Amino acid sequence: MTAPTPNTPHDPQERLALLEAELAPQLPPGAMTADADILQTYSADRAIQCEAEGAAVLVRAASTEDVQAVMRFASAHGIPVVPQGARTGISGGANAVAGCILLSVEKMAEVLGVNTAERTVTVQPGIINQQLKDHLRPYGLSYPPDPGSVNISSIGGNIATNAGGLCCVKYGVTKDYVRQLKVVLADGSLATLGPRTAKGVAGLDLRGLFIGSEGTLGIVVEATLRLVPLLAEPLTAVATFPDEATAGTCVAEFMARGAQPSMLELLDRTTLSMLNDYGDFGLDEQAGAMLLMQSDGSGDPATAQREVEAFAEVAESVGALDVAASDDPADSEALVATRRLAHPAYEKYTAAHGASELMEDVCLPRSRMPEFFARLAQLREESGIVIAVVAHAGDGNLHPAIFYARDDAEQERRAHAAFEELMQLGLDLGGTITGEHGVGSLKARWLAKELDPVNQRLHLAVKQAIDPQGILNPGKMLSHLGG
Amino acid sequence: MTAPTPNTPHDPQERLALLEAELAPQLPPGAMTADADILQTYSADRAIQCEAEGAAVLVRAASTEDVQAVMRFASAHGIPVVPQGARTGISGGANAVAGCILLSVEKMAEVLGVNTAERTVTVQPGIINQQLKDHLRPYGLSYPPDPGSVNISSIGGNIATNAGGLCCVKYGVTKDYVRQLKVVLADGSLATLGPRTAKGVAGLDLRGLFIGSEGTLGIVVEATLRLVPLLAEPLTAVATFPDEATAGTCVAEFMARGAQPSMLELLDRTTLSMLNDYGDFGLDEQAGAMLLMQSDGSGDPATAQREVEAFAEVAESVGALDVAASDDPADSEALVATRRLAHPAYEKYTAAHGASELMEDVCLPRSRMPEFFARLAQLREESGIVIAVVAHAGDGNLHPAIFYARDDAEQERRAHAAFEELMQLGLDLGGTITGEHGVGSLKARWLAKELDPVNQRLHLAVKQAIDPQGILNPGKMLSHLGG
């Protein structure tokens, strides 16, 4: 898609010379580097299986003006630009492409202002999600979105991927908390999208269009976010089930009763086992699946208590092995902290077993989860592949993790086949290939299976309209659409 | 913007003959009409001051296929199409333009399915908002968005304008409740936008782009909406203040304390007086302004009670004349019903006084309301114009209604000048020209003042990409953008 202008050199050395001669002088000293080690570090996010080669330089922008200078230069020369936040994504969205400028905004990490009457905060994109939460706490305000990567991912990256998390089942996703964006476009111009006010319908919702666009439309250089009063301390309940399908039935029936949990997570037996290996948590590995439910009762302990009781009732009625509730905040926090360690536990497993991991992210209508899990059980048997599952079950957002031995090509092939089959199953059950991780390069081919041909044409028309040269993050989300 | 193809007749009779010969046979009998009385009725929404002339025909679509047939024909001939819901808008967005096809979807009003586990409903666009609410009640489910026009406006129109309402301050706007849209594009093709699942990040958020696009990008023919459990019965408090600015201060301070009212409305003295004239409600006309606050405590009466007490405390601390609370649901409902009669009360006033009304819709940061009201008080004195105010004050969304004698050109001029001054004031205070009514033709010129030049260019590029002939609702929202 990217077409260099006629006099832009293809040769890496010549391209680098051009960048050093013409772009570097427009940037603060040291902002641009071609150091091989640094380039390697910055060339990839955490999607180890995606390509990440050939970056020409890394620019660490310190200001909006730096971002604009890069884009003006890149558009003048038809050079691809890969925007980067904290590179904690797992779909390859921040990975290098041949001859590109890696444009990191990690150094733009200031809080620019908190407005308590309006309940907003204005930030630069590089600030880490948890750091923002910590900054807001003294104001009695909270920014709810809490992706699993909350301690390491940046708000800019969260906006670029419309990040979700554990609280979504009650509190929604990143998109629900963005009021105004300042974005630098492909040609280096700066646009302010959306009003800062609580409501506003002046013009098209281009702010929303840029959220989740994975760096393909522009680069967020400032965001004004909507906040809520600090969330109340939740009550927690845990239930174990003979298998995942029964746990899925519990979720669907609980939610159909009008429940409003602030968290509803599922962990399968393999995950429980890997967690015990990781931290000796004494989780019940005999269970086929565990559900971890929290309710904050929107601030009312009695409501939360009723919700815990309703959960216990539904869990028992569908055949739970055990149900336990806790009103001890320390206990609850420990359980949630354990849930948040699923990924490190997987990493310990892969390191110990010379394995690699493919992480799935389908999202289904909640009521279809039992069907998904039934097929998943078959798939494990047929393939002999180790598949662990954590899920934001209240949202129907499932993360099967598929493991394979790194030195076993045949197992790797079966793992990839399982990865693809689960995505297809997600689509067949009325779901989507990605609930929150994004498309990146990992699922670009699959995006073309999910979107209908007319929608694909719309995507390409909008991309062409906003980035006519196709220099923003080429080869990623939109690269396989045809229509 | 619309360019008819070379052989499309400009002459109204010839154009009508073409429509009757080529389009009518593709539609159900009677779906197309050129009856002058019917055309006049359907040529305008409720924005009486906007142009609404020259429609060629009205088509009342009964199916998606009808909508597609109209758009295929219109794009083949370069004929403008004005999509219409219930025509209850007040910005002229549904008004006729010269030679157009008025395309009404009011007959497409079925509920296609309720999914209790997923908490969604799928509807056709013509269903009236309140009818949908009534349909959902037996399921224990609620669709929160409640524009003032809740009894007369359609879901399709609500989506086209991203309608707001009284509950927004806690429950958000239409956009927050739309999961999946089926839209017919300018060329007649049908696209499905967005997954039906709770979360989903597969591709650009084109679903969001179409919400609030006021018929300029496509025509919604089906929508899957997110629902919530039935909202709890709220408690209500009423406070009166010496003037609007003090009421505005109360709102800003109350919200800065972390309040989460489910409604926070302001009525000024003129509105109180017109309401008393309309229904003899015995509202206190000595007060300069009244605030009507509701809290549903998210289901917990004690939380609601605390919020009522906090409101009373803040109101008294800023100088309220009187504060009263009610825990009688009938009383509360009566008060809210009275608030909802503000517009009919204005209409009674205009009818009785040979007057016309210009309705403002600016939305400000809440903390800037006192400044707005201070200037409004000056403006009333300087201009001698009658200006009443109702406001979704919790959102900073203000609806000054500006009245002028229909036979007094000088007063009309001053009224229009006041209308424009208040929009400029809204922008100067960091707000937007329209919080929820939309741009339509009424504020198209002002949209060009609100959006920066780069944003305007983005708007035009996106419009050009999706409707290259410019046949969808020309001369409306986007017509004054230049960039």
Side-chain angles (χ1 to χ4, degrees), chain B residues 448 451-460 478-483:
Chain B
L451 305 182
D452 67 43
V454 178
N455 194 354
Q456 291 185 44
R457 284 204 304 274
L458 270 182
H459 270 75
L460 294 177
L478 306 173
S479 62
H480 282 68
L481 301 185

Side-chain angles (χ1 to χ4, degrees), chain B residues 59-80:
Chain B
V59 173
R60 278 174 285 203
S63 69
T64 296
E65 291 70 26
D66 292 351
V67 175
Q68 291 185 276
V70 169
M71 294 315 305
R72 271 194 300 266
F73 174 86
S75 59
H77 295 279
I79 292 177

Side-chain angles (χ1 to χ4, degrees), chain A residues 118-119 199 259 366 436, chain B residues 118-119 199 259 366 436:
Chain A
E118 195 65 6
R119 286 189 208 148
K199 291 156 74 183
R366 287 186 280 259
E436 58 181 11
Chain B
E118 194 65 6
R119 287 190 209 148
K199 292 156 74 180
R366 287 187 279 260
E436 58 181 10

Side-chain angles (χ1 to χ4, degrees), chain B residues 3-20 22 56 73 76-80 98-100:
Chain B
T5 51
N7 54 359
T8 299
H10 279 279
D11 174 75
Q13 287 310 316
E14 289 176 33
R15 180 168 289 211
L16 179 57
L18 175 73
L19 284 156
E20 285 177 342
E22 293 193 16
F73 174 86
H77 295 279
I79 292 177
C100 77

Side-chain angles (χ1 to χ4, degrees), chain A residues 117-119 192 197 199-201 204 229 255 258-259 298 300 363 365-366 392 395 397 434-436 452 454-455 459 461 465, chain B residues 117-119 185 192 197 199-201 204 229 255 258-259 298 300 363 365-366 392 395 397 434-436 452 455 459 461 465:
Chain A
E118 195 65 6
R119 286 189 208 148
T192 300
T197 48
K199 291 156 74 183
V201 293
L204 302 173
M255 295 302 286
S298 300
D300 174 40
C363 189
R366 287 186 280 259
H392 308 308
D395 286 319
N397 189 191
T434 176
E436 58 181 11
D452 66 42
V454 178
N455 193 353
H459 270 75
Chain B
E118 194 65 6
R119 287 190 209 148
L185 302 179
T192 300
T197 48
K199 292 156 74 180
V201 294
L204 302 173
M255 295 302 285
S298 300
D300 174 41
C363 189
R366 287 187 279 260
H392 308 308
D395 286 318
N397 188 191
T434 176
E436 58 181 10
D452 67 43
N455 194 354
H459 270 75

Side-chain angles (χ1 to χ4, degrees), chain B residues 389-434:
Chain B
V389 178
V390 290
H392 308 308
D395 286 318
N397 188 191
L398 312 177
H399 294 312
I402 302 164
F403 299 94
Y404 61 91
R406 232 172 280 149
D407 57 1
D408 184 337
E410 164 57 18
Q411 203 176 93
E412 180 171 353
R413 193 197 55 72
R414 274 182 286 135
H416 279 278
F419 183 75
E420 305 237 320
E421 180 168 339
L422 291 178
M423 267 195 287
Q424 185 62 55
L425 182 59
L427 292 179
D428 293 345
L429 294 174
T432 174
I433 58 167
T434 176

